Amino acid sequence: MSLLHFVTGCDSQPQQDLPTISDSNLRSVPEVAAKPSEVACESVLDQKYERCLKAWKHGIQWLLNQQQADGGWHSEVYGVMQGGVGQTALTLDLLTRSESLEGVIPPIAIRRGIDFLTKHVDEMGLVQGPGRAADYPVHATALLLRALSRTHAVENSDLSRQLTAALQASQRIEAQGWIQSDPDFGGWGALNDRAPLADTTSERSYRSGSPSNISVTRMVLMALAAAQGLTKETARDAELFLGRCQANAPMPMSTAVYFFTPDPMDILNKQGFEFSADQRPQAKPYPTATWDGLMARKICLQKQFPELHRPIVEPRHEKPLPFSTANEGESFKSPDGDAGLDYYEASQWAELRVFIRSIIDTADWDELIQRLLDRQRADGRWENDHREMREDDPLIATPFALMALGQWLSEHHP
């Protein structure tokens, strides 16, 4: 993947209104979209649609076959994820997007997954694995809440309220002992860490644990918005955190670009850091962090300013595809910090096609889908040859790939 040319900030005039942030805009596979007008284009598109639908069903079936007797999906690649919380939540997030495709996804599979995730919760109400295994509890809780918001089942209403309260309480704000000068203030991290303590000099001590990051923060904001649990105060504080993850150095055309977490020295900022004009270190932005940041910021702005129904960004540059590689081989090494995030970025593009559609060019989107089709394994799964971000585990890569295919199908249903 070549270095991404980023999109501009919110000062440009919009060409058309965009949908507000709502999971109701994430259309399920059987919903109808407009056909191309020309017969020749219809024939080609119909063929691609049939291939895409076949691949989607094949991948879904592979994923359903991996559900264990306890109702969860458990990693066979990474021991730390064998508890199954993170992967079960990710799978439910996928399955509930496509639940209305009759005969493909048994409702019992979703119910069993929900029951597995809610057997164990911590003192805050966040989901956790058997034996109190902490497998990304904040992220998993957000994915579960978002999945529940799509089911509209009455029996899930109390659970949704509990999960909403847990996510609200895990935001790093004053009520939890954080202060606005803390880099993590306003965000969410992978774990529900406590606020740092003041040392004898009244300065904040070094915080160990998981920093607030832009990915988990975006997922929590989406979940709270979908469950009608996002308040203006929560959005206001989250936007403070997002501002700390936005690159401040002058960039072409007032671009709005983001990195993963505020600490420039944190190894989680996969592009590393550089020195600004005033010789201060600043993390380098990169694509997946930018996509998360743009979506999170739009959610915050729309909550604080409900009248805002316009793009916060406008495309000014060509953007390379995920999976770009010099030799078109199965693996690649990205120079922009996204190596190993092929399928995560594909799922982000699916979200962006709904939330900030103008960012993703339709031709690029179609080519991305073709790359996904070409990379599916014979048994229906996807996996990445790179291990950096654990996408070599098919229980991570496959749901991400299917999210992208499902969104494309929803846009092209005949």
Side-chain angles (χ1 to χ4, degrees):
M1 186 188 295
S2 60
L3 182 63
L4 182 69
H5 295 287
F6 293 101
V7 293
T8 62
C10 59
D11 294 333
S12 57
Q13 292 299 313
Q15 298 299 313
Q16 60 183 0
D17 289 347
L18 290 178
T20 56
I21 297 298
S22 169
D23 272 7
S24 64
N25 291 319
L26 279 172
R27 297 175 295 171
S28 57
V29 170
E31 294 188 62
V32 176
K35 287 184 179 181
S37 57
E38 297 182 5
V39 175
C41 291
E42 277 189 357
S43 177
V44 173
L45 184 59
D46 287 348
Q47 291 177 19
K48 184 171 183 179
Y49 180 87
E50 290 303 318
R51 183 186 175 191
C52 190
L53 181 60
K54 182 178 180 180
W56 183 87
K57 288 182 176 180
H58 194 26
I60 288 289
Q61 191 57 57
W62 180 88
L63 202 56
L64 290 172
N65 290 342
Q66 310 312 307
Q67 189 173 27
Q68 301 300 305
D70 61 3
W73 281 263
H74 301 267
S75 176
E76 297 181 356
V77 179
Y78 293 100
V80 71
M81 302 183 73
Q82 286 180 352
V85 169
Q87 286 161 316
T88 301
L90 177 62
T91 301
L92 290 180
D93 182 33
L94 164 71
L95 296 181
T96 53
R97 298 179 187 215
S98 313
E99 189 178 8
S100 58
L101 188 59
E102 186 175 356
V104 176
I105 301 175
I108 188 61
I110 295 175
R111 184 73 257 169
R112 290 176 60 221
I114 293 172
D115 291 343
F116 168 78
L117 284 178
T118 54
K119 285 179 182 177
H120 310 279
V121 296
D122 65 15
E123 63 276 8
M124 293 286 291
L126 301 170
V127 298
Q128 61 181 14
R132 301 183 66 82
D135 182 3
Y136 306 108
V138 179
H139 196 180
T141 301
L143 290 174
L144 175 58
L145 178 59
R146 197 173 177 202
L148 292 176
S149 72
R150 302 188 189 104
T151 66
H152 305 295
V154 175
E155 63 267 24
N156 292 332
S157 57
D158 287 343
L159 175 58
S160 293
R161 284 191 289 270
Q162 294 168 12
L163 297 176
T164 296
L167 291 173
Q168 290 170 335
S170 59
Q171 187 181 24
R172 295 168 177 184
I173 55 176
E174 288 97 337
Q176 310 305 327
W178 302 81
I179 60 176
Q180 289 197 17
S181 60
D182 289 326
D184 289 339
F185 181 88
W188 287 264
L191 304 176
N192 183 32
D193 292 339
R194 303 303 182 189
L197 301 174
D199 63 18
T200 56
T201 63
S202 298
E203 295 178 354
R204 304 294 278 180
S205 64
Y206 175 77
R207 178 202 41 74
S208 60
S210 65
S212 295
N213 71 70
I214 207 163
S215 176
V216 174
T217 296
R218 189 262 294 184
M219 289 307 307
V220 173
L221 289 169
M222 279 187 164
L224 291 176
Q228 306 298 312
L230 181 62
T231 66
K232 288 186 177 181
E233 293 75 19
T234 298
R236 176 201 64 206
D237 291 338
E239 195 170 5
L240 289 175
F241 170 72
L242 296 174
R244 292 191 175 100
C245 295
Q246 185 172 344
N248 296 319
M251 301 189 74
M253 297 187 181
S254 301
T255 52
V257 291
Y258 294 84
F259 35 84
F260 189 73
T261 193
D263 182 359
M265 305 299 184
D266 198 310
I267 60 173
L268 293 175
N269 284 313
K270 292 178 287 298
Q271 181 65 352
F273 69 94
E274 59 189 353
F275 289 98
S276 62
D278 59 0
Q279 294 303 303
R280 294 183 179 182
Q282 177 181 278
K284 293 181 181 179
Y286 52 95
T288 52
T290 292
W291 304 147
D292 281 329
L294 292 174
M295 287 188 280
R297 184 164 180 257
K298 181 172 184 180
I299 296 171
C300 291
L301 288 175
Q302 288 190 331
K303 184 61 185 181
Q304 296 176 87
F305 309 101
E307 69 279 6
L308 183 66
H309 295 299
R310 61 186 180 87
I312 65 168
V313 292
E314 282 295 311
R316 294 278 185 89
H317 300 288
E318 181 182 354
K319 297 169 292 300
L321 288 167
F323 314 155
S324 296
T325 175
N327 59 12
E328 298 297 320
E330 186 63 29
S331 62
F332 75 104
K333 187 69 176 178
S334 167
D336 57 18
D338 278 332
L341 285 169
D342 293 24
Y343 298 101
Y344 178 66
E345 190 170 5
S347 73
Q348 287 181 309
W349 279 37
E351 302 274 27
L352 287 163
R353 289 287 293 179
V354 174
F355 296 151
I356 315 177
R357 191 182 185 97
S358 61
I359 288 182
I360 304 301
D361 179 76
T362 298
D364 286 348
W365 174 234
D366 289 343
E367 186 175 345
L368 165 61
I369 296 303
Q370 186 62 50
R371 288 175 182 267
L372 287 174
L373 293 173
D374 293 343
R375 286 189 169 202
Q376 188 175 28
R377 303 298 173 92
D379 61 0
R381 77 188 191 279
W382 283 265
E383 62 185 65
N384 196 332
D385 283 356
H386 279 276
R387 303 181 59 185
E388 287 94 334
M389 301 308 298
R390 298 179 177 174
E391 285 190 357
D392 57 322
D393 188 336
L395 287 179
I396 294 177
T398 301
F400 286 149
L402 290 170
M403 288 175 190
L405 290 185
Q407 178 58 32
W408 190 92
L409 286 167
S410 77
E411 297 172 5
H412 295 85
H413 193 281

